[in-house]
Amino acid sequence: MHKLQKRPIILWTLWILIVPPGLYLIYQYFPPPDIPWADAAAYLAFFILACLLPMNINGVPTYLVQWLTVAVFLKFGLFAEVLLSQLTMLIVILRLRTSESLWIRTPFNSMMFFAISSLAGLSFIFAGGQIGSLDLGHIVLFGLLFQMVSVVSNQVILYVYVRILGEHKDFFSLDTIWDFAIAFLAFPLAIVLYISETYIGLAALLLLGIPFFTMAAIMRMYNNSEKVNSDLKKAGEIGHQLAARLSPDEVFDQFVLQVADLFQVDYAYVIDYRDGQLITLRKYEDNEFQKIDAEPAKYNEGVAGNAIVQNTSFIFDSKAQWKGMETSYIKADTESLMTTPISRNNRIEGVLVLGSRSKHAFVPHQLQILDILSTYFAVSLEKAGLVQKAIAKSERCGLTKLYNYRYLDEALEKAMVRVNNGELRNLSVIMMDIDRFKGINDKYGHQSGNEILVSLADLLCEIVGSEGTVARYGGEEFVVLLPNYSKELAMLLAENIRKEIEKHDFMIQNDLDEDRSTIPINITMSIGVSSAPDDSDDGMAMIRNADRALYIGAKQAGRNKVAAYTK
């Protein structure tokens, strides 16, 4: 059995052996006094309310219940405090959002809280502390011992458990400092509550509880406001980063990465809405992009389809809320989902689906942030598309759609750098010129000549394929850039190109004929070849060498030939 599969079995076995027998022994040796039902109900209600109003400290929800548990211990003894701590554990693990399942967290946290209560309570008792004492010095001294043992044992147990799992945890960290600070700040409240309740009864709970819970509620609202402001600021930064991306793929990837990090999700999916279908474009799971294996779905099916049909965003807190929907592309262990349509120019273009293994992983304000980010994404995607079109237009020949001289010049210089630093063994250039092309234009018209250039460009791309880069150098001249091609291999390819062109029928419409009849035309090409590092270590020198081989070695030798540059 796998190590992770054994962990729940081990934890529950230990829980059965430790917690129930431990509770029985504590009850037998340290029985609680008779507790009036009104007191028990008041403390329980007070305690549950404290658990429902945690404070957010350093980004972590903190449950300020220590002052209640200490007061309960001082008044009612160890057994009552252990039961109260177990109730704390249940409320906390149900409210706390983590990726670890309740099946694992429940036994571990129950044993940890039981151990902390037992160690602290027994330290208090064996050191001479008296339950129900009203001596202030005695209460402070032994109460402080109880609190100190509680905090230290909590940190030690967590540290040992994390190290047993093979993970790293610093014993002294910012979280540890906060735990100690909160414990000792809450201690005076515990003493005041205990003494006040002893003398004036349950009214002390109201006198101390009203200001405490009011402060907790205000702090909670303040923290929520700070969280919203923080997320809005991060959303603005993400928007700027998306706007800086120049290609649609970069925008897609950056958007998914940033959103997954901002909302701390386990899964993220970008789904395109096209021709009545939903097509998955990005699949991001457990911090990695995954291969797309989802089949297209109908536009109105599943969680994504629901967002499209209703044109609104949704949060699903648990699997039970979306279980009946078609979600084959979503991981089986997903619990919470957040979805939002992606619109551009008031038209839905797609859907973003975020998933978490934890229940109740998302809050309403995050949905508003996601709407803003989706707008940034759509605008940035459109901008990147326009930029790519502008770049393509500046790098491509408008007639043949091949790369132009500007692009070739940059590509050649980059390739030469790779040759000179040893990344490429060889680099070859094939330069070609159509023989007697002026005569074709004069006889059939320039439009017919353009048709030949377009067809020739397509033929060259078909022959060269992915082996090299084909560019129109100017007029009727074409260049092929061939990384890792020796001069001998480049000569073989050039000869193959020459033969293919020589036997190819180029179909044109005779512009100078009144009927503009379609006729086949045959052409030939003269070709020159130059290579690096044999012939040169400079890009433009390679072009000049290939051009020299073309005109001296091929054109002047009778045309329709392949010639190599020789020094």
Side-chain angles (χ1 to χ4, degrees), residues 320-458:
Q321 296 179 354
W322 54 272
K323 193 172 182 180
M325 300 181 183
E326 170 60 34
T327 50
S328 57
Y329 56 89
I330 296 176
K331 293 276 280 189
D333 61 352
T334 305
E335 284 288 346
S336 301
L337 286 176
M338 182 162 58
T339 67
T340 187
I342 300 171
S343 301
R344 183 171 54 185
N345 299 325
N346 296 319
R347 177 183 175 186
I348 297 177
E349 299 284 347
V351 180
L352 175 66
V353 179
L354 303 179
S356 172
R357 295 188 183 97
S358 303
K359 294 181 179 180
H360 302 278
F362 305 113
V363 293
H365 89 266
Q366 291 178 325
L367 207 55
Q368 298 171 340
I369 301 294
L370 194 59
D371 286 336
I372 295 172
L373 288 173
S374 297
T375 301
Y376 285 147
F377 170 64
V379 172
S380 299
L381 196 61
E382 183 174 22
K383 173 191 170 186
L386 294 173
V387 169
Q388 287 298 103
K389 288 180 181 178
I391 291 174
K393 190 173 182 180
S394 68
E395 293 179 344
R396 297 276 182 175
C397 164
L399 176 65
T400 64
K401 309 306 178 189
L402 295 177
Y403 288 113
N404 57 22
Y405 173 82
R406 173 186 172 184
Y407 178 87
L408 177 69
D409 183 40
E410 293 179 358
L412 183 58
E413 288 303 318
K414 291 178 181 178
M416 284 303 303
V417 170
R418 296 179 64 196
V419 171
N420 292 330
N421 64 24
E423 290 183 50
L424 293 176
R425 297 188 306 274
N426 307 99
L427 177 67
S428 292
V429 168
I430 297 176
M431 176 169 279
M432 299 166 279
D433 182 80
I434 302 175
D435 295 327
R436 299 185 174 88
F437 189 64
K438 182 177 183 301
I440 294 174
N441 284 331
D442 292 343
K443 185 175 182 180
Y444 300 105
H446 285 83
Q447 182 57 38
S448 299
N450 287 342
E451 292 175 8
I452 291 177
L453 293 175
V454 172
S455 297
L456 176 60
D458 293 340

Side-chain angles (χ1 to χ4, degrees), residues 166-187:
E167 300 174 11
H168 175 74
K169 175 179 171 59
D170 294 326
F171 186 81
F172 293 102
S173 63
L174 185 59
D175 290 339
T176 306
I177 296 172
W178 272 113
D179 283 344
F180 275 94
I182 292 168
F184 291 109
L185 285 173
F187 181 71

Side-chain angles (χ1 to χ4, degrees), residues 231-245 251 254-255 258-259 262 369 372-381 383:
D231 285 349
L232 281 171
K233 182 179 179 181
K234 291 177 182 177
E237 294 171 355
I238 292 173
H240 288 304
Q241 293 176 13
L242 291 176
R245 304 297 166 180
V251 173
Q254 184 72 12
F255 176 66
Q258 295 285 8
V259 167
L262 176 62
I369 301 294
I372 295 172
L373 288 173
S374 297
T375 301
Y376 285 147
F377 170 64
V379 172
S380 299
L381 196 61
K383 173 191 170 186

Side-chain angles (χ1 to χ4, degrees), residues 51-114:
C51 289
L52 295 176
L53 288 172
M55 291 187 181
N56 193 295
I57 298 177
N58 197 31
V60 178
T62 302
Y63 297 84
L64 300 179
V65 296
Q66 294 97 329
W67 65 298
L68 294 173
T69 55
V70 172
V72 166
F73 173 77
L74 292 173
K75 184 174 181 63
F76 301 116
L78 179 57
F79 185 78
E81 196 276 337
V82 169
L83 290 181
L84 202 60
S85 295
Q86 291 296 304
L87 181 59
T88 302
M89 176 273 301
L90 287 174
I91 295 175
V92 168
I93 65 171
L94 288 173
R95 288 180 56 83
L96 202 59
R97 300 168 185 168
T98 68
S99 59
E100 203 165 37
S101 71
L102 284 172
W103 190 242
I104 292 177
R105 286 191 292 153
T106 301
F108 170 73
N109 282 279
S110 177
M111 287 188 292
M112 183 179 77
F113 276 62
F114 177 79

Side-chain angles (χ1 to χ4, degrees), residues 83-355:
L83 290 181
L84 202 60
S85 295
Q86 291 296 304
L87 181 59
T88 302
M89 176 273 301
L90 287 174
I91 295 175
V92 168
I93 65 171
L94 288 173
R95 288 180 56 83
L96 202 59
R97 300 168 185 168
T98 68
S99 59
E100 203 165 37
S101 71
L102 284 172
W103 190 242
I104 292 177
R105 286 191 292 153
T106 301
F108 170 73
N109 282 279
S110 177
M111 287 188 292
M112 183 179 77
F113 276 62
F114 177 79
I116 292 169
S117 296
S118 300
L119 288 170
L122 293 174
S123 298
F124 175 95
I125 293 169
F126 290 138
Q130 296 294 319
I131 301 298
S133 172
L134 292 177
D135 181 274
L136 183 60
H138 182 95
I139 294 169
V140 171
L141 176 62
F142 291 100
L144 198 57
L145 173 65
F146 176 90
Q147 187 78 317
M148 184 178 297
V149 173
S150 295
V151 177
V152 172
S153 59
N154 177 66
Q155 294 299 322
V156 170
I157 291 171
L158 282 175
Y159 178 80
V160 172
Y161 181 67
V162 169
R163 295 305 296 264
I164 289 174
L165 294 179
E167 300 174 11
H168 175 74
K169 175 179 171 59
D170 294 326
F171 186 81
F172 293 102
S173 63
L174 185 59
D175 290 339
T176 306
I177 296 172
W178 272 113
D179 283 344
F180 275 94
I182 292 168
F184 291 109
L185 285 173
F187 181 71
L189 278 176
I191 301 302
V192 171
L193 176 61
Y194 167 63
I195 295 176
S196 300
E197 199 276 333
T198 301
Y199 284 104
I200 66 175
L202 295 178
L205 293 175
L206 289 176
L207 291 175
L208 290 173
I210 290 174
F212 173 79
F213 290 125
T214 301
M215 179 190 69
I218 293 172
M219 286 293 295
R220 186 177 176 83
M221 288 188 290
Y222 173 77
N223 287 329
N224 287 340
S225 174
E226 285 291 294
K227 177 63 176 172
V228 172
N229 291 334
S230 175
D231 285 349
L232 281 171
K233 182 179 179 181
K234 291 177 182 177
E237 294 171 355
I238 292 173
H240 288 304
Q241 293 176 13
L242 291 176
R245 304 297 166 180
L246 299 181
S247 76
D249 282 341
E250 288 180 347
V251 173
F252 263 111
D253 293 344
Q254 184 72 12
F255 176 66
V256 173
L257 289 171
Q258 295 285 8
V259 167
D261 180 65
L262 176 62
F263 298 119
Q264 295 295 294
V265 300
D266 299 306
Y267 313 117
Y269 308 92
V270 179
I271 300 169
D272 188 31
Y273 173 36
R274 186 187 314 164
D275 300 327
Q277 288 188 317
L278 299 177
I279 302 171
T280 304
L281 299 181
R282 288 295 186 279
K283 182 178 179 180
Y284 186 75
E285 297 176 345
D286 294 323
N287 300 318
E288 289 184 354
F289 284 102
Q290 306 292 335
K291 181 181 178 181
I292 306 297
D293 53 8
E295 295 293 328
K298 293 181 180 179
Y299 80 95
N300 58 351
E301 290 183 349
V303 172
N306 194 35
I308 288 176
V309 171
Q310 300 193 36
N311 190 22
T312 189
S313 303
F314 293 97
I315 287 178
F316 298 101
D317 292 323
S318 67
K319 185 176 291 187
Q321 296 179 354
W322 54 272
K323 193 172 182 180
M325 300 181 183
E326 170 60 34
T327 50
S328 57
Y329 56 89
I330 296 176
K331 293 276 280 189
D333 61 352
T334 305
E335 284 288 346
S336 301
L337 286 176
M338 182 162 58
T339 67
T340 187
I342 300 171
S343 301
R344 183 171 54 185
N345 299 325
N346 296 319
R347 177 183 175 186
I348 297 177
E349 299 284 347
V351 180
L352 175 66
V353 179
L354 303 179

